[in-house]
Amino acid sequence: MMSRGDHHFGVQDRFLCSLKERTFNAKTPREYACASAEYGVYLCRTGRLSDARQICANIRETYAGREDPEVYIWLMILESAASYYSNSSTREKTKLIRAYAVAAAMGLRDLRQYSAAWLAHQYFNSGEYAAMGIWLERSGLNSASDDSTKIRACL
C-alpha cells in the first residue's frame, strides 16, 4: 500500500512507481543498489530522511569492501541529498564532485550529468553563481537524456 507521501493531489506519482518497479525487478545487486539509492533521493525530496538514511546504511553494508563505481556514484548523490534536505547544507558538494569525477571517468553520461545538475543546484543555494553556471553547463541542460537531470538543472 502506498503511503500518503506517495500521492500528489490524489494521483499516484508515476516516477515513484517507476522507481519501485525498477527496484523490485532488479536482476543484479548493482541494479538493486542503484535503484534503491535513486529511490532514496526521492525519499529525501519528500521528507522521509530516516528511510533514505537507512537505504544508505544498507548499501554501505552490502558493498563494504567491494565497492562498485556506479553504486558509489549513487551513494554519494544520495548522501549529499540527505544532507541537503535535512538541514539545507550545501557542504556535501565534495561528495557530488567525487560522483561527477567517477561518472566522467567511467563514461557514465547520465550519472555525470545528474551529479552536475545537483552541484549546480547546491552552488545556486550557496550563492556561488559562477560555479553554478559551470555545473549547469556540465549537466547538459536541455540536451540531458534523463528527465531527472533536466528537472534538477531547472531548479
Side-chain angles (χ1 to χ4, degrees):
M1 175 147 184
M2 305 294 277
S3 71
R4 182 178 171 99
D6 293 341
H7 295 274
H8 182 67
F9 299 109
V11 177
Q12 194 171 346
D13 185 345
R14 285 179 288 199
F15 181 66
L16 174 62
C17 288
S18 170
L19 286 174
K20 286 185 174 185
E21 185 176 317
R22 282 197 355 252
T23 303
F24 182 76
N25 293 325
K27 304 267 189 264
T28 67
R30 173 194 284 165
E31 285 179 18
Y32 181 80
C34 293
S36 295
E38 188 172 6
Y39 177 62
V41 172
Y42 176 90
L43 293 175
C44 291
R45 291 189 350 246
T46 58
R48 293 180 279 176
L49 295 167
S50 63
D51 293 335
R53 286 191 177 101
Q54 185 58 53
I55 290 172
C56 287
N58 291 346
I59 292 170
R60 284 206 176 277
E61 181 180 323
T62 301
Y63 279 86
R66 55 182 188 92
E67 285 71 21
D68 177 284
E70 193 170 349
V71 172
Y72 172 84
I73 294 164
W74 273 112
L75 189 58
M76 293 297 100
I77 294 169
L78 174 54
E79 289 177 343
S80 181
S83 176
Y84 175 75
Y85 285 109
S86 67
N87 57 19
S88 298
S89 173
T90 58
R91 292 185 302 245
E92 295 290 345
K93 289 187 219 95
T94 303
K95 287 185 178 183
L96 289 171
I97 291 169
R98 281 188 251 154
Y100 177 87
V102 173
M106 299 297 296
L108 301 170
R109 179 179 177 245
D110 288 347
L111 285 174
R112 178 180 49 84
Q113 290 178 326
Y114 188 59
S115 57
W118 266 102
L119 278 158
H121 182 129
Q122 291 203 7
Y123 276 109
F124 172 80
N125 285 322
S126 63
E128 299 173 67
Y129 303 118
M132 176 204 69
I134 292 167
W135 289 106
L136 268 179
E137 186 176 326
R138 290 178 182 173
S139 75
L141 297 170
N142 287 335
S143 68
S145 60
D146 179 62
D147 288 338
S148 294
T149 300
K150 290 177 190 176
I151 291 165
R152 179 64 41 202
C154 289
L155 291 175

